[in-house]
Amino acid sequence: MTQPKAEAICGLGSNAPSSREVAAALSASFEFDPVRSLVYVTYRGRLTVGEVAQVIEKLSGDPRFQPGVGIVSDHSRGETFGTADLVAQIMPRFAELAERNGPLRVALITPREVQIGMANLAAVHASPHHIQIQPFQTREAAEAWLIEAR
C-alpha cells in the first residue's frame, strides 16, 4: 500500500482527504457523536508522533470539534501505546489544542496494565496545560467519566 503525500494527509491542496481516508493512511480514525458531545479516536498498529500530530491537526480543523467535546482515545487495538519520549513530544500539540478550544478531557482506553502507567505519565505532563487525561480499561467507563464531568 502506498502512502499518500504529506500535503494530502494534512488536508492541503484541492483533493483533501476525508477523515476516513486519513485514517487509512495513519492507522487512526475519528468519529463524532454530536448527541453525547464526544469524539472517538481509534488507533491501530504502532503509534507514532506523526500520526498523533496529524489526528490532532485534523480534529482542530474540524468545525464539529467545539469547546467541551470530550475525547475518547482508544488504544485497545494498537500494538504499542507509546513511550515517555512520545508523550513528551505530543504534549505540546495537545497544549495548542487546549489553547484554541479550552480545557480538554481525554479518556484513554487501554486494556493492558503496562499502558496504564504510560497513560498516567501523560496525565502528569498534561495537567499544566488544562488537560485532564484518565486511563480506562473499557469504553463504557471512559464515556461515563467524560459525560459525568459536564
Side-chain angles (χ1 to χ4, degrees):
M1 177 176 157
T2 60
Q3 294 288 336
K5 292 183 179 180
E7 296 84 17
I9 291 173
C10 294
L12 303 174
S14 60
N15 295 323
S18 70
S19 62
R20 294 219 184 263
E21 290 169 323
V22 170
L26 299 177
S27 298
S29 62
F30 63 88
E31 204 168 311
F32 285 87
D33 180 344
V35 173
R36 299 174 84 186
S37 196
L38 298 174
V39 61
Y40 295 89
V41 181
T42 304
Y43 293 97
R44 295 171 300 284
R46 188 168 296 275
L47 187 65
T48 68
V49 173
E51 288 180 340
V52 175
Q54 290 175 2
V55 168
I56 291 170
E57 182 177 329
K58 291 294 287 181
L59 281 176
S60 69
D62 193 305
R64 297 171 293 179
F65 191 68
Q66 296 293 313
V69 170
I71 301 172
V72 178
S73 186
D74 188 348
H75 298 264
S76 62
R77 297 180 190 151
E79 292 174 22
T80 61
F81 180 71
T83 63
D85 188 48
L86 182 135
V87 169
Q89 289 182 47
I90 63 170
M91 202 48 60
R93 299 186 194 275
F94 272 107
E96 290 172 10
L97 190 60
E99 281 182 32
R100 284 193 294 267
N101 276 50
L104 298 175
R105 287 177 60 92
V106 182
L108 296 175
I109 302 173
T110 176
R112 297 178 207 91
E113 289 291 328
V114 69
Q115 295 176 336
I116 290 175
M118 200 55 57
N120 287 328
L121 177 63
V124 169
H125 281 276
S127 63
H129 303 290
H130 305 288
I131 304 167
Q132 291 181 307
I133 296 177
Q134 182 70 36
F136 296 93
Q137 292 186 313
T138 67
R139 181 177 174 145
E140 294 78 18
E143 292 169 335
W145 178 74
L146 289 167
I147 292 169
E148 75 185 21
R150 295 189 190 134

